[in-house]
Amino acid sequence: MALDYDDRTDFENADRGFIKTLTPMRITGADGTVVFDTTGYAFLDGPCPDTIDPSLFRQAQLCARNGLYEVVEGIYQIRGFDISNMTIVEGETGVIVIDPLISAECAAAGLALYRQERGDRPVTAVIYTHSHGDHFGGVGGVLPDGRGDVPILAPAGFMAEAVAENVYAGVAMTRRGTYMYGMGMTPGPEGQCSTGLGIQASTGTVGLIAPTLDITHTGQRETVDGVPIVFQMTPGTEAPAEMNFYFPRHRALCVAENATHNLHNLLTLRGAQVRDPRVWSRYIDQAIEMFAIDAEVAFASHHWPTWGVDNIVSYLSEQRDMYMYLHDQTVRMMNSGMNGAEIAESIQLSPGLDAAWSVRGYYGSVSHNVKAIYQRYLGWFDGHPTSLWEHPREAKAARYVETIGGVEAVIEKGRAYADSGDLRFAAELLTHAVFAEPDNATAKEALAQVYQRLGIGAENATWRGFYLTGARELRTGIQSTPLNLGSGMAAALSVEQLFDTVAIRVNGPRAARESFRIEWNFTDLDTVVRLTLSNGVLIQTPDPRSKVPVDLTVNLTHAQLLGVLAGKGLDGIDHTGDPTVLKRLFALLDAPDPDFAIVTP
């Protein structure tokens, strides 16, 4: 299906309401470190180069718009100051901030720009639309002195999901995210050209202030700083804890990240829980019925708004139909015996969806979303006995290389496939060569060239990020991961969550022969937690009823626990028993590796 490049509606909407931006668009931290910089994207003002897919180039041009925008009277957005948007709603005494970006520095810069134009209004409430770090991490930039008496609203389950994704698995996700977002790559015709969802992700100070008010049910109404809001719960859509909401006075619908101007991820390439396209589609349909038919504008946590009832309904309907189409057709083919990879190769979108700009695969893709649906229902195993117990990549590579006749032969055949245009199989062969001989510079360069070509040809920004970052690391080695979403969140975690972060670092084989118990009495929380190391597992028992001997008893506060876990020991903290037990515990913990290898062993 041919795409209509003469349709400029998205550009008109992306520019509508523009007030002012920063010149240059460069945001720095207190120490002068640059945490967000879009000055390298000037190439997007010119013609599309041969090294970027034209459709992706168009999306990058739209994502590069930045500044303060009026959505409707009383509602403003900061766009292009991070990968996400920050929305500001004017209340009776101050402003409600929705989704304060990833980094405090970017959120502070956006709020300062708003105040230059609209007055020095205090922040009187914060709303987190969902549990992903780019929608709460910059809260310290809008509440630099802490929460105080400012209410913070979030969907029920927010804290559990934010911790599960950004802390428990945060190291692995962030490392893979450097590939997905092309972090560290230079913007340009042969480098990073947006993430599809936004121009780039910032790398500043990440924090979290826990919510004070849970939104628990659809139809819940709250008045925040004099502004009435009606909420719609949408769990299991783009995030496990997410919500849409409507401002009746403004006739404005916030669709969070449930409807942005692209096909989103059902399983993001950085890693996450598989999302449910069936309920996602149904929640969008519910939003149409509840709110859209009366709305003047729909805005989201990424991209630009849509104005006019008919346009909003059309836009949301395309989003709704895409997710349900992918679900239903995948399940249909799955039940005919096809596996995920086969379905991804075979699925055909309906013409109306294939031609719609709003559901193009810039961030998610039809291919990897179909595989995610298959995984959601049937898991990683494709049902073929050979797939049940395969060798890991290094062992498999050694056997393939031996079978083919050595690394030189594999490189030769890989180049031949690349020359014939079969880049996918060339990448597979050359990966075997690299994993069989990781120090073979010829093999790494041959694979890097294939990744370069695959990245240049990708319409999907996250695929481009993976391919081009892979090529770069094959040539120059592993680059340091510039962001850790979990690093600034510790103070907001519950005791249970803090002890969970310890338990997931226990080296099971090393701890298998150790056993001890520590009882933690939290004087400020009126609760006791017993930690038991048993069979290489750290078990926590809150308010235990059973009376068993313990090796160490510690009386402390939640804040003091943060210091203990940071390695400050028990100095000044009341305790009885054997304090060396704590050292024994810490000696059993592995430090995660934020820069682990991906394209090499």
Side-chain angles (χ1 to χ4, degrees):
M1 176 65 65
L3 295 169
D4 183 5
Y5 284 89
D6 293 328
D7 179 1
R8 303 294 292 178
T9 304
D10 285 335
F11 289 90
E12 294 165 3
N13 285 341
D15 291 334
R16 179 171 170 171
F18 174 76
I19 298 173
K20 188 178 182 181
T21 192
L22 300 181
T23 305
M25 172 47 73
R26 182 183 294 116
I27 300 170
T28 59
D31 62 356
T33 301
V34 176
V35 302
F36 188 76
D37 184 357
T38 66
T39 58
Y41 293 92
F43 70 96
L44 294 173
D45 296 331
C48 179
D50 294 338
T51 51
I52 302 177
D53 176 270
S55 177
L56 177 58
F57 186 80
R58 176 188 182 275
Q59 183 76 351
Q61 290 179 310
L62 290 161
C63 289
R65 265 67 175 168
N66 59 73
L68 172 67
Y69 295 80
E70 183 182 64
V71 178
V72 293
E73 184 177 356
I75 298 181
Y76 297 82
Q77 280 194 314
I78 297 293
R79 302 203 291 268
F81 276 49
D82 210 322
I83 192 174
S84 47
N85 298 336
M86 182 169 73
T87 303
I88 300 171
V89 181
E90 295 178 348
E92 291 182 355
T93 62
V95 294
I96 305 163
V97 173
I98 303 170
D99 288 354
L101 310 180
I102 294 177
S103 300
E105 295 85 349
C106 294
L111 184 59
L113 179 63
Y114 164 83
R115 285 171 169 163
Q116 287 177 18
E117 299 300 311
R118 299 292 299 168
D120 191 12
R121 306 172 189 228
V123 174
T124 48
V126 173
I127 300 177
Y128 303 142
T129 61
H130 61 290
S131 52
H132 292 154
D134 52 328
H135 303 275
F136 64 77
V139 66
V142 299
L143 295 176
D145 300 321
R147 184 182 69 81
D149 59 356
V150 175
I152 299 177
L153 290 71
F158 170 89
M159 280 299 293
E161 301 302 341
V163 171
E165 178 160 312
N166 298 292
V167 177
Y168 294 164
V171 172
M173 286 185 178
T174 303
R175 172 67 175 129
R176 286 168 51 152
T178 63
Y179 272 64
M180 178 173 170
Y181 298 124
M183 297 176 75
M185 280 200 307
T186 302
E190 295 185 356
Q192 205 266 2
C193 70
S194 95
T195 70
L197 196 63
I199 194 65
Q200 64 175 224
S202 68
T203 58
T205 305
V206 178
L208 173 61
I209 301 176
T212 62
L213 175 60
D214 283 349
I215 305 302
T216 61
H217 62 276
T218 293
Q220 183 170 337
R221 294 173 179 266
E222 301 289 342
T223 299
V224 182
D225 193 13
V227 179
I229 312 174
V230 185
F231 293 89
Q232 178 202 9
M233 294 294 290
T234 64
T237 52
E238 191 271 338
E242 190 150 357
M243 61 186 183
N244 299 329
F245 40 93
Y246 183 66
F247 297 91
R249 285 185 191 167
H250 302 82
R251 295 182 61 198
L253 170 61
C254 174
V255 288
E257 205 166 328
N258 289 318
T260 52
H261 288 277
N262 53 208
L263 170 60
H264 214 293
N265 286 299
L266 298 179
L267 180 55
T268 173
L269 300 183
R270 63 182 166 81
Q273 297 179 38
V274 178
R275 299 153 187 176
D276 188 343
R278 182 180 62 87
V279 302
W280 194 336
S281 175
R282 290 181 178 177
Y283 280 129
I284 293 175
D285 191 59
Q286 185 182 55
I288 293 172
E289 293 298 313
M290 287 184 67
F291 306 125
I293 57 177
D294 297 315
E296 177 184 334
V297 64
F299 65 90
S301 302
H302 296 270
H303 297 145
W304 51 94
T306 300
W307 286 268
V309 172
D310 291 344
N311 294 329
I312 294 168
V313 171
S314 175
Y315 156 61
L316 292 179
S317 296
E318 288 172 346
Q319 293 276 315
R320 174 200 65 194
D321 294 350
M322 169 58 86
Y323 294 115
M324 192 61 86
Y325 186 93
L326 292 179
H327 174 272
D328 292 352
Q329 296 309 304
T330 299
V331 173
R332 176 181 66 82
M333 289 188 268
M334 184 176 74
N335 283 330
S336 71
M338 299 173 70
N339 63 37
E342 291 166 341
I343 298 169
E345 290 296 299
S346 303
I347 194 166
Q348 296 290 321
L349 297 179
S350 58
L353 292 174
D354 199 33
W357 287 115
S358 68
V359 292
R360 297 298 297 178
Y362 304 118
Y363 191 57
S365 74
V366 170
S367 177
H368 72 252
N369 278 345
V370 162
K371 295 170 186 174
I373 297 168
Y374 184 91
Q375 176 179 323
R376 181 177 180 86
Y377 283 100
L378 296 181
W380 61 269
F381 180 44
D382 65 6
H384 195 285
T386 303
S387 304
L388 191 59
W389 193 28
E390 294 183 344
H391 285 291
R393 188 179 292 277
E394 288 180 70
K396 187 187 297 185
R399 287 159 175 80
Y400 270 106
V401 167
E402 180 184 15
T403 300
I404 293 171
V407 167
E408 296 296 329
V410 174
I411 294 172
E412 181 181 351
K413 291 181 183 295
R415 285 173 169 164
Y417 276 103
D419 290 343
S420 71
D422 190 349
L423 297 174
R424 296 160 69 183
F425 191 65
E428 186 171 335
L429 276 181
L430 292 168
T431 294
H432 288 319
V434 169
F435 271 74
E437 291 187 7
D439 295 327
N440 190 309
T442 302
K444 288 196 288 188
E445 177 57 28
L447 181 56
Q449 290 176 12
V450 171
Y451 283 164
Q452 191 85 21
R453 292 174 61 186
L454 284 165
I456 284 170
E459 182 186 27
N460 181 281
T462 62
W463 286 32
R464 180 183 175 96
F466 259 84
Y467 285 131
L468 296 187
T469 303
R472 184 188 65 174
E473 291 202 347
L474 283 165
R475 288 168 171 151
T476 64
I478 293 173
Q479 308 295 306
S480 178
T481 300
L483 180 67
N484 181 358
L485 285 180
S487 61
M489 296 173 57
L493 305 190
S494 68
V495 167
E496 178 185 7
Q497 290 167 334
L498 286 168
F499 283 142
D500 279 344
T501 66
V502 177
I504 60 177
R505 293 175 54 198
V506 171
N507 184 308
R510 203 162 67 232
R513 296 185 182 277
E514 285 268 18
S515 63
F516 48 74
R517 296 186 184 94
I518 306 174
E519 194 155 277
W520 306 81
N521 177 25
F522 291 94
T523 56
D524 58 334
L525 302 175
D526 193 26
T527 190
V528 175
V529 177
R530 181 197 299 151
L531 289 186
T532 302
L533 186 69
S534 172
N535 294 311
V537 179
L538 191 64
I539 302 295
Q540 56 173 305
T541 306
D543 297 318
R545 295 176 59 192
S546 58
K547 301 299 181 183
V548 296
V550 299
D551 299 278
L552 173 65
T553 300
V554 185
N555 302 303
L556 75 173
T557 64
H558 178 276
Q560 287 175 317
L561 177 63
L562 294 172
V564 172
L565 297 182
K568 295 181 179 179
L570 296 177
D571 288 346
I573 297 175
D574 181 44
H575 63 277
T576 58
D578 181 6
T580 64
V581 171
L582 199 58
K583 294 181 180 179
R584 287 164 58 194
L585 171 60
F586 287 165
L588 298 172
L589 305 183
D590 279 350
D593 180 3
D595 300 320
F596 56 80
I598 292 179
V599 291
T600 55

